[in-house]
Amino acid sequence: MTLPDMLIPTYMQMLTALSAWLDKAAAQRPDGTADALLAGRLAPDMFPLATQVRFACVQALEGIARLADAPLPDTVAALLDEGRSAGERPGTIAEAQARIAETLAAVERAAATMPAVDPARAIAHALPQGMIFDFDAERYVRDWALPQLYFHVVTAYAILRAQGIALGKGDYVAHMFAYLRPGTMPGR
């Protein structure tokens, strides 16, 4: 299995799940209060749901760019700005869905053109605070790219649950139902 083979399907699955959760939130709040969920947080010092959505998109775009040894797309800067200011301007569910859709489209385009990646290729990852991590491509995928995506997606899931949105494990792993052996679903 190649490193892009690990990242791209995971990005597609988890961003698609995140989009479905936002759809469920909108459906469960038909009174127009779904947009207010984007300001929800798990703790006062954590970023809100709106930021988690944007940062999940950033992780996908950034992971692909770093593996391809390409510059980060301009969209990353916009998503980071939106995410950092989401406490004051969380936006709407429709805007969050648009960002996810744009990211999914970019991931699909990248999947078609992703070059082979040497697992030993050096990847330097600089953070805004000045910290720099030196990885090889394999460790970057395993220890940074995937955990960072999952952190933001799981945090988004937890915020939605904490705000009363009815989601369950099946929503988190909806992509797994494609592999379910016929006749083995309990209660059906």
Side-chain angles (χ1 to χ4, degrees):
M1 174 178 284
T2 69
L3 296 176
D5 289 343
M6 290 177 62
L7 278 187
I8 290 171
T10 302
Y11 290 156
M12 297 298 292
Q13 292 164 353
M14 298 316 299
L15 290 171
T16 299
L18 180 56
S19 178
W21 307 338
L22 293 176
D23 283 342
K24 277 193 159 190
Q28 290 175 33
R29 299 277 178 95
D31 59 356
T33 61
D35 288 343
L37 295 168
L38 291 167
R41 302 169 188 258
L42 291 178
D45 65 342
M46 287 184 75
F47 282 122
L49 175 60
T51 301
Q52 303 306 328
V53 170
R54 267 77 176 181
F55 285 5
C57 292
V58 165
Q59 294 307 314
L61 295 169
E62 185 176 276
I64 288 170
R66 290 191 190 283
L67 269 192
D69 201 20
L72 297 178
D74 293 337
T75 310
V76 169
L79 286 164
L80 287 170
D81 288 343
E82 288 173 16
R84 290 180 187 127
S85 65
E88 298 82 41
R89 293 181 305 282
T92 66
I93 296 281
E95 291 167 340
Q97 290 285 36
R99 286 306 203 180
I100 294 169
E102 291 166 6
T103 303
L104 285 167
V107 170
E108 279 191 66
R109 284 190 305 274
T113 60
M114 182 63 100
V117 177
D118 177 0
R121 183 173 58 81
I123 294 179
H125 184 77
L127 298 180
Q129 310 89 324
M131 296 169 33
I132 300 173
F133 291 95
D134 290 313
F135 298 106
D136 60 32
E138 182 178 350
R139 284 179 181 79
Y140 172 75
V141 167
R142 184 191 66 216
D143 298 340
W144 184 269
L146 289 173
Q148 290 295 315
L149 173 77
Y150 281 121
F151 174 85
H152 294 294
V153 170
V154 169
T155 302
Y157 177 93
I159 291 169
L160 287 167
R161 289 283 293 147
Q163 296 291 319
I165 300 303
L167 296 171
K169 183 76 173 260
D171 295 296
Y172 186 77
V173 295
H175 60 280
M176 294 302 297
F177 289 108
Y179 309 107
L180 182 67
R181 183 177 292 171
T184 62
M185 177 69 95
R188 300 211 185 215

